[in-house]
Amino acid sequence: MKYRTIGTDPATRREVSILALGAMLFGSVTDEKTSFAVLDHFVEAGGTFIDTSDNYAYWVDGGLGGQSERLLGKWRRSRGVGDEIVIATKVGAEPLAPGTGYVDNAEGLSAKAVREAAERSRERLGVDRLDLLYAHIEDRTVPLGETVEAFGELTAEGTVGLLGASNHAVWRVERARALAAAAGLPGYEVLQYQHSHLRPRFDIPSPLFEDGSLGHAGPEMLSYLRAEPGLTLVAYSPLLAGAYTRPDKPLPQDYDHPGTPARLAVLREVAAETGAGINQVVLAWQIGSRLPVIPLAGASSMAQLKENLAAVDLELTDDQRARLDAVH
């Protein structure tokens, strides 16, 4: 396994595995036995970074979520897992009532909502401190300063370590970090966005945001990472839910544009040259990026996890990486 340090403050920064394990469907679609087996093998392979959210997976049973956090808490207790494993979670997108969702009825990012959600997450996970807490989605009904102060209070109390933001417009991330700095509070240091080798369109309306495909790490986000070396990008859905390799998983409409076939072609070329799978090439491309990127990949079976883990040791040549980077 390879590792990367996230965060800059010696009191909160952590060294984590360069590959993060997504636990979104653990305890719901993926049963407990399989979830525990995947988690155990991930840790045995040197994995130390696991990702969840308070609202995972509310859409499975029409509830409020919490299944993933509860399963991770049970796994932690049964295995005696301590601070050596970093579990990141998120607040802000848990539905307020069964049968609703984050689009129309999310808990939001008010000071009250952030504190109460963080307390529920700590209880489900069975921890005194959340290693990394993200603001899951934007809440433009609440002043940014209120959210920044709410996160800052939790870190000051010692119940939260690192802070992060997911699915926010870049300008709002920067404004929140500026507000935190001006107030002497910790700011967002880990950013979680959808990012893969294929490049999305940004002219498709989102059900939640007016900015188009806001959840994607587009050129502006990647430029921001270059300018701010203290930030880390955790790239979710790097394998596009199987769309690279499974005929039954069509590419999302975000990738329906003339540039996609060329990028798929070079992926296939590099996969053939290395003897690796396309998914492994995508993960290796991210892991070896000049930017601080940590791919976040879920696994619903041991076979999927082992395939993903093998990408950690896949070394792409400079020529292969240049070809992967150059295709538009």
Side-chain angles (χ1 to χ4, degrees):
M1 184 57 70
K2 300 173 183 176
Y3 300 88
R4 183 185 295 280
T5 299
I6 56 175
T8 57
D9 187 334
T12 56
R13 68 187 180 201
R14 300 295 302 271
E15 184 179 68
V16 297
S17 53
I18 196 67
L19 179 67
L21 176 63
M24 181 171 69
L25 299 179
F26 288 179
S28 55
V29 174
T30 306
D31 62 43
E32 180 178 304
K33 181 180 179 181
T34 304
S35 299
F36 276 32
V38 168
L39 288 161
D40 289 344
H41 188 75
F42 180 68
V43 172
E44 290 166 4
T48 63
F49 197 13
I50 300 169
D51 182 89
T52 187
S53 173
D54 67 347
N55 73 335
Y56 294 162
Y58 76 86
W59 56 92
V60 173
D61 61 7
L64 302 179
Q67 302 101 310
S68 175
E69 288 184 333
R70 281 190 289 269
L71 181 135
L72 288 172
K74 185 174 182 179
W75 172 76
R76 286 186 71 261
R77 290 187 295 271
S78 69
R79 302 304 194 256
V81 171
D83 293 340
E84 71 277 10
I85 303 299
V86 174
I87 298 180
T89 193
K90 313 174 193 74
V91 297
E94 183 178 286
L96 290 174
T100 63
Y102 67 86
V103 174
D104 59 342
N105 198 28
E107 63 194 347
L109 296 173
S110 68
K112 180 176 183 291
V114 169
R115 176 170 292 277
E116 291 179 352
E119 289 176 355
R120 289 193 299 270
S121 290
R122 287 194 297 113
E123 181 178 356
R124 291 169 183 151
L125 291 168
V127 297
D128 294 325
R129 183 172 86 160
L130 300 172
D131 300 312
L132 166 58
L133 183 64
Y134 293 97
H136 198 166
I137 58 173
E138 292 186 355
D139 182 357
R140 298 193 181 186
T141 69
V142 173
L144 265 177
E146 179 179 339
T147 301
V148 167
E149 290 179 8
F151 275 86
E153 287 178 2
L154 295 177
T155 58
E157 294 167 4
T159 56
V160 172
L162 287 164
L163 300 178
S166 179
N167 305 312
H168 284 52
V170 176
W171 69 266
R172 285 181 61 84
V173 173
E174 174 59 20
R175 181 170 294 179
R177 295 180 71 233
L179 288 169
L185 297 171
Y188 300 139
E189 294 189 275
V190 186
L191 307 178
Q192 186 174 136
Y193 290 75
Q194 183 169 345
H195 182 53
S196 188
H197 184 254
L198 293 185
R199 295 175 177 172
R201 295 167 52 184
F202 285 86
D203 60 343
I204 298 175
S206 161
L208 187 59
F209 307 109
E210 62 186 19
D211 308 61
S213 299
L214 187 57
H216 292 282
E220 186 178 16
M221 172 58 69
L222 300 181
S223 176
Y224 188 45
L225 288 170
R226 294 186 188 97
E228 297 290 336
L231 298 177
T232 302
L233 173 65
V234 174
Y236 73 79
S237 295
L239 305 180
L240 303 180
Y244 280 111
T245 58
R246 291 176 53 178
D248 62 320
K249 292 281 188 176
L251 287 170
Q253 63 173 342
D254 310 60
Y255 302 96
D256 182 13
H257 60 82
T260 292
R263 290 187 79 79
L264 286 174
V266 76
L267 273 176
R268 295 188 186 103
E269 291 172 5
V270 173
E273 293 165 6
T274 60
I278 290 176
N279 286 342
Q280 292 170 327
V281 173
V282 173
L283 295 176
W285 173 74
Q286 290 189 332
I287 289 170
S289 172
R290 295 177 182 176
L291 294 176
V293 178
I294 297 176
L296 166 60
S300 60
S301 69
M302 196 68 72
Q304 288 180 353
L305 176 63
K306 290 180 178 180
E307 179 186 16
N308 295 345
L309 287 169
V312 174
D313 296 320
L314 176 59
E315 297 289 344
L316 302 176
T317 66
D318 291 342
D319 173 69
Q320 289 167 341
R321 186 166 292 281
R323 284 150 53 202
L324 288 164
D325 288 340
V327 178
H328 297 284

